[in-house]
Amino acid sequence: MKFIRDYELRIKSPAGVALQINPPVSCTFDIDRAVMSSVNKGTITLTNLAPDTRNAIYKDKYSTSEYWQIIFMVGYGNELYEIFRGNIQEAYSYKSGTEWFTYIDCYDGSYAVQNGFISETIGSGVSLKDAIGRVIHTMPEILPGVLGTPATTKTAPRGEVILGSSWEELQRITGGQAYIDGGYVNVMAKDDAISSDVFVLDSDMIKETPKRREQFLEVTTSVMCPEIRVGYICELKSLFTRYNGQYKTYGVKHSGTISGAQCGDATSMISLYKGEAPFTMVSK
Amino acid sequence: MNPDEMMPPNLKIILDEVKADIFSTFNCIQIGKISKVTSSEQTVEIELQIKRLAADGTSTAYPVLVDCPYFVLQGGGAYIDMPIKKGDYCIVLFNDRNIDNWWSTANVADPATARKHSLSDALAIVGLNPKTSPLSMDGTWVRILGTNGPGSEAEAARKGDAIKSTMADDATFWTWLAAAAAVLAGLGVAVPIPTSLTGKITGGSSKVKIG
């Protein structure tokens, strides 16, 4: 395996059947995570699964009430990091040439977004933080995560009726500052960052100079960095020093191939946000 | 070929879906029943009387609307205080924007949130009845009924209205007058004794006028 890359893919069907897939099955993936209100997305293609496994992994994308859990971990050697946790939206297999491919399209929290529905009266004495908690409680297969600055403890002078799609109502009451990452709903302002150790992105890890794109710096790593997490602080130490400093990891795209039969890149593209004000560190 | 490619949605279907979505989530007017009255804040809690239909054909009740200001007929500091109670029906209007800041401060202010036509911004106008429980009204008189209901009312008098009194109206007074006349007659004073009295009301409330 190139650079001793490794992965583990876990799938659990609505019937409770658990599947675990590891090398030497070849795997190509694109994982896109960000602190935005759109749900995180991943596509994974497996090559030449055993027929029984292949047949077991099928999901119609319109069957939104079926929950297929998927957890994808990648890393080097035995050190694996979870880079995606969510649910399968669509999965199917096909043969092309001599190879069988199994294509999996998955989203982080889309099952909760599609199936969460709330119909509740929130009294005037209930804080916004508690109201957010009650909305999240109505979203299946998802848990409350970091509730930052937007989820203050202020209370409204009047009670409120919350009725409709839980996700849409959550975005409404938080001003569009909720996002789902790794099966957790976080509510954070743009200048909020999750309190933790700082991830150092030094020059050895960077493939090319950082690109300044709109409000973000785009950094592509020379090797995949599965340990980086969105919403946390990342320190950039590039040889091109102009942009060096601490940023909030706004998004990360992991893409690559892990295969014993074919070589290929495995990189991470990281979006870094400088912030308009000093970051407010928040935690669970 | 996936289903989207086989049956691409056309513009009409998309517009119909958008229209249906807007109408199903847009709140304008509903009929409600009062479940709690908070007179000190002039608010009510309301149960909407028409359930919400889901796409699968099931129906569920709306959540209770809370802290809904109710309409009071008033002006210039005068008002009609009605004993609104649990069980009264009302028209429920949903304000275009969030009313929290106006309601809590009475000031012109930005809306507290961006919600529009929300169930949370309901206003109640009490006084609506279903066919099963109409009020007793004959359409002849202007009647203001208290909580005792029909039959307890009396005709209102106004300044200038004629008054008349006979033995049948005030037996005590006319009996006393007859007794006084008898005493006078015993003393040799002969005066005519009236048996009825007519006149007009000469004064009334300076605050209320009835046409």
Side-chain angles (χ1 to χ4, degrees):
Chain A
M1 208 68 65
K2 190 176 180 183
F3 301 131
I4 56 169
R5 289 177 199 152
D6 196 3
Y7 78 91
E8 183 167 303
L9 179 66
R10 295 179 193 161
I11 294 172
K12 193 172 169 189
S13 77
V17 177
L19 300 168
Q20 183 174 320
I21 299 159
N22 297 84
V25 174
S26 296
C27 172
T28 302
F29 59 89
D30 283 291
I31 302 294
D32 192 351
R33 296 168 71 174
V35 292
M36 292 190 288
S37 55
S38 54
V39 292
N40 298 333
K41 185 179 188 310
T43 56
I44 299 166
T45 304
L46 304 162
T47 308
N48 293 328
L49 284 175
D52 286 348
T53 310
R54 200 165 65 214
N55 292 336
I57 303 174
Y58 169 76
K59 179 169 183 305
D60 172 358
K61 69 176 172 181
Y62 294 109
S63 58
T64 54
S65 58
E66 286 181 13
Y67 180 64
W68 286 72
Q69 188 190 51
I70 183 165
I71 299 169
F72 188 47
M73 295 181 286
V74 298
Y76 301 94
N78 293 322
E79 199 169 344
L80 298 180
Y81 296 89
E82 182 181 297
I83 63 166
F84 193 86
R85 176 184 287 261
N87 61 281
I88 297 174
Q89 187 72 16
E90 183 179 27
Y92 58 88
S93 297
Y94 62 97
K95 191 177 182 188
S96 177
T98 57
E99 314 279 12
W100 272 97
F101 297 99
T102 300
Y103 173 81
I104 300 171
D105 191 23
C106 46
Y107 292 87
D108 187 350
S110 71
Y111 179 77
V113 169
Q114 289 168 330
N115 294 286
F117 189 86
I118 182 166
S119 174
E120 283 194 33
T121 303
I122 308 286
S124 57
V126 178
S127 69
L128 179 59
K129 197 168 190 170
D130 289 340
I132 289 169
R134 283 167 68 170
V135 179
I136 294 171
H137 185 68
T138 63
M139 300 175 73
E141 307 294 347
I142 214 121
L143 293 168
V146 177
L147 303 183
T149 309
T152 56
T153 54
K154 71 176 180 185
T155 56
R158 294 174 60 249
E160 185 173 10
V161 172
I162 301 182
L163 176 72
S165 153
S166 300
W167 181 241
E168 287 177 12
E169 289 300 301
L170 185 63
Q171 293 297 354
R172 184 182 62 74
I173 66 174
T174 62
Q177 296 180 100
Y179 69 96
I180 301 173
D181 186 54
Y184 288 91
V185 178
N186 299 326
V187 178
M188 288 168 59
K190 221 171 175 183
D191 290 320
D192 284 353
I194 302 171
S195 180
S196 179
D197 293 338
V198 172
F199 180 82
V200 178
L201 198 57
D202 66 31
S203 55
D204 294 339
M205 303 161 74
I206 302 171
K207 191 175 182 180
E208 52 201 16
T209 62
K211 298 170 195 157
R212 189 176 177 187
R213 305 281 305 276
E214 294 93 34
Q215 297 180 47
F216 303 96
L217 274 187
E218 204 174 271
V219 180
T220 305
T221 60
S222 50
V223 292
M224 184 176 55
C225 298
E227 63 271 46
I228 195 159
R229 293 174 294 174
V230 296
Y232 290 76
I233 295 290
C234 173
E235 183 164 355
L236 180 64
K237 289 184 175 176
S238 169
L239 292 176
F240 179 64
T241 57
R242 181 177 172 187
Y243 297 124
N244 285 358
Q246 291 199 340
Y247 295 82
K248 174 180 169 181
T249 310
Y250 211 76
V252 58
K253 291 180 183 177
H254 300 292
S255 57
T257 299
I258 300 177
S259 169
Q262 51 184 302
C263 58
D265 281 343
T267 60
S268 300
M269 202 272 283
I270 303 159
S271 298
L272 299 173
Y273 173 65
K274 184 72 177 173
E276 292 169 358
F279 291 118
T280 302
M281 305 309 295
V282 294
S283 55
K284 277 189 186 176
Chain B
M1 184 175 280
N2 72 43
D4 284 346
E5 290 166 342
M6 285 188 284
M7 294 184 294
N10 65 37
L11 183 61
K12 185 176 184 312
I13 292 172
I14 293 169
L15 291 177
D16 285 348
E17 289 288 325
V18 171
K19 194 167 74 175
D21 183 57
I22 290 170
F23 279 116
S24 65
T25 55
F26 183 87
N27 299 296
C28 184
I29 300 175
Q30 286 256 32
I31 295 168
K33 192 174 192 178
I34 291 170
S35 56
K36 185 183 173 188
V37 181
T38 306
S39 300
S40 59
E41 294 183 345
Q42 285 169 33
T43 59
V44 287
E45 291 186 5
I46 300 169
E47 293 168 1
L48 295 180
Q49 297 298 289
I50 297 165
K51 288 184 173 182
R52 190 170 49 79
L53 276 180
D56 62 2
T58 58
S59 66
T60 48
Y62 282 92
V64 173
L65 312 184
V66 293
D67 299 326
C68 308
Y70 60 78
F71 173 80
V72 176
L73 188 60
Q74 62 185 301
Y79 54 89
I80 296 177
D81 180 7
M82 297 287 185
I84 295 169
K85 67 179 193 306
K86 180 181 175 180
D88 286 348
Y89 289 102
C90 59
I91 296 172
V92 188
L93 309 176
F94 299 95
N95 206 61
D96 286 1
R97 298 289 185 273
N98 186 321
I99 63 170
D100 285 6
N101 285 345
W102 170 80
W103 183 77
S104 57
T105 68
N107 293 329
V108 175
D110 293 339
T113 65
R115 71 190 181 211
K116 299 177 184 73
H117 285 273
S118 169
L119 292 171
S120 305
D121 297 310
L123 309 166
I125 301 176
V126 183
L128 186 73
N129 302 291
K131 185 181 175 185
T132 55
S133 55
L135 297 177
S136 170
M137 295 193 288
D138 60 15
T140 306
W141 298 87
V142 175
R143 295 196 295 176
I144 300 172
L145 297 182
T147 52
N148 290 335
S152 63
E153 72 273 31
E155 292 165 15
R158 301 167 299 175
K159 179 182 176 184
D161 279 354
I163 57 170
K164 185 182 176 188
S165 179
T166 63
M167 178 60 85
D169 299 312
D170 193 348
T172 305
F173 171 73
W174 292 107
T175 304
W176 175 84
L177 192 62
V183 170
L184 288 173
L187 295 173
V189 180
V191 290
I193 308 298
T195 57
S196 68
L197 179 69
T198 59
K200 282 186 177 179
I201 296 174
T202 56
S205 168
S206 62
K207 303 288 185 186
V208 180
K209 292 189 176 182
I210 301 171

